[in-house]
Amino acid sequence: MENKAHAIAAGLFLLLLGLALAASVAWFQGDRTERVHYTVVSRGGVPGLNLKAPVKLRGVEVGFVDSIGFDPQDPRQILVGIAVDAAAPVSAGTHAQLGLQGVTGLSFVSLEEADATAPLKRAAPGARIAMKPTLLDRLAESGPLLLAGFAETAQRLNALLSDDNRAQLNQSLVRLEQAAADTSRLMAALQPGARELPALLKDADATAQRAGTALREIEALAADGRALTQELKARVAVLDQLGGAATQLQATTRSLELALVGDTAPRTRPLVADLSAASRSVERAAHELGDQPQSLLFGRGAQPPGPGEAGFEQRLKGGSK
């Protein structure tokens, strides 16, 4: 009896120990995090997405996928149920995208904020989150259009590189080469002139300096000419006064002649004749100075020949011409 009692006690102990171990494992493996369920709505496919696939919010894992299925009301939509940590800041403007887990081909759900700077407004539990296509999805959708564009571009390139266009291009290249050779020859011809250019510039500077000196001398001559003109004006004024004096002297002489016309004294007549001759000389000198005022400075010029003098006939002939 005692052996049976010991066997029963040992069996009960092992059973209780096993139950305790199972309860401990269940305790440590159990997920006691509070979860909030949302539904991700996808109009396209969800390749590589499986149950228990991670859900990440801006790169931080906050939950997992707990269901995948078609929408009963619209079979073209796929509903992906996700369980997210209640503390995760899922806002009403959050959208979802599929991300790839390395090179395994498996996908995960990535939650992104539409506007990270906007005030946080949490999404209601059970709310639907739209899934937007990734860059690869957009490329796949636009692939036919891209291929059509590439085909059209290839056709245009083929038309551009036709035989006629290639021939014209070859001719243009040949002409360009000829123009480059002509330019080289022209540069070689211009090099001697370019080497002489500094000397020419130096000569031009010297010429400019001489021209400046000449201009200053011309200005000085102009100033002298203005002074000479003023002096001539003064001389002409003096001559005018002399002419007036001569006229007055002539009038006085005539008055004396009239006054002494009846005088027969031999001494008075020579005096009157001398006065008349002096008056005429002064008048003639005044007229000559009036005609040639420059004679005061440069002397009298040569008088033209009169009648009976040598050269008078040539002067008449020259005047008739």
Side-chain angles (χ1 to χ4, degrees), residues 251-310:
T252 303
T253 303
R254 288 177 181 175
S255 298
L256 287 175
E257 288 179 352
L258 292 175
L260 298 175
V261 70
D263 190 0
T264 59
R267 291 178 298 179
T268 305
R269 290 174 182 174
L271 177 61
V272 172
D274 291 340
L275 289 174
S276 297
S279 176
R280 285 192 295 272
S281 297
V282 171
E283 184 178 2
R284 186 169 56 254
H287 283 299
E288 289 179 358
L289 290 176
D291 294 335
Q292 295 181 354
Q294 68 273 17
S295 62
L296 290 174
L297 298 177
F298 306 107
R300 295 180 60 184
Q303 296 293 331
E309 296 180 354

Side-chain angles (χ1 to χ4, degrees), residues 3 22 39-40 42 46-47 74 86 103-104 126 128 141 166 177 207 219 221 238 245 255 299 304 309 312-313:
N3 291 332
T39 302
V40 176
S42 174
V46 287
D74 187 359
V103 295
T104 60
R128 290 195 170 191
E141 291 177 358
R166 285 199 300 270
E177 185 177 0
T207 304
E219 290 178 355
L221 290 176
V238 173
S255 298
E309 296 180 354
F312 179 71
E313 295 181 357

Side-chain angles (χ1 to χ4, degrees), residues 8 13-14 46 66-67 82 106 113-114 134 189 204 212 230 281 288 292:
I8 293 172
F13 175 77
L14 292 174
V46 287
D66 60 358
S67 64
I82 58 174
L106 299 178
E113 293 285 344
T134 62
Q230 293 177 358
S281 297
E288 289 179 358
Q292 295 181 354

Side-chain angles (χ1 to χ4, degrees), residues 57-73:
L57 176 62
R58 286 179 290 178
V60 179
E61 187 172 347
V62 294
F64 57 89
V65 176
D66 60 358
S67 64
I68 301 175
F70 291 99
D71 187 357
Q73 298 179 357

Side-chain angles (χ1 to χ4, degrees), residues 124-140:
R128 290 195 170 191
I129 300 174
M131 179 174 287
K132 294 186 177 180
T134 62
L135 177 61
L136 294 177
D137 294 337
R138 291 195 296 270
L139 289 176

Side-chain angles (χ1 to χ4, degrees), residues 44-206:
V46 287
L49 188 64
N50 298 320
L51 294 177
K52 301 300 180 180
V55 176
K56 297 182 180 180
L57 176 62
R58 286 179 290 178
V60 179
E61 187 172 347
V62 294
F64 57 89
V65 176
D66 60 358
S67 64
I68 301 175
F70 291 99
D71 187 357
Q73 298 179 357
D74 187 359
R76 291 174 297 181
Q77 295 184 155
I78 298 176
L79 302 181
V80 179
I82 58 174
V84 179
D85 188 354
V90 179
S91 65
T94 301
H95 64 271
Q97 283 184 333
L98 286 181
L100 295 177
Q101 301 185 49
V103 295
T104 60
L106 299 178
S107 302
F108 66 92
V109 178
S110 176
L111 302 179
E112 301 292 340
E113 293 285 344
D115 187 3
T117 60
L120 180 61
K121 182 180 179 182
R122 289 183 175 275
R128 290 195 170 191
I129 300 174
M131 179 174 287
K132 294 186 177 180
T134 62
L135 177 61
L136 294 177
D137 294 337
R138 291 195 296 270
L139 289 176
E141 291 177 358
S142 59
L145 296 177
L146 292 175
L147 291 176
F150 288 150
E152 184 178 359
T153 303
Q155 291 177 358
R156 292 183 178 181
L157 286 175
N158 290 331
L160 180 63
L161 298 176
S162 61
D163 295 337
D164 295 338
N165 292 338
R166 285 199 300 270
Q168 293 180 0
L169 182 60
N170 291 332
Q171 293 178 359
S172 300
L173 291 176
V174 170
R175 291 174 182 174
L176 182 61
E177 185 177 0
Q178 293 176 356
D182 294 339
T183 304
S184 300
R185 288 194 295 270
L186 179 60
M187 294 299 295
L190 290 177
Q191 283 180 359
R195 286 193 294 268
E196 295 178 359
L197 186 60
L200 293 176
L201 292 176
K202 187 180 295 183
D203 294 341
D205 292 338

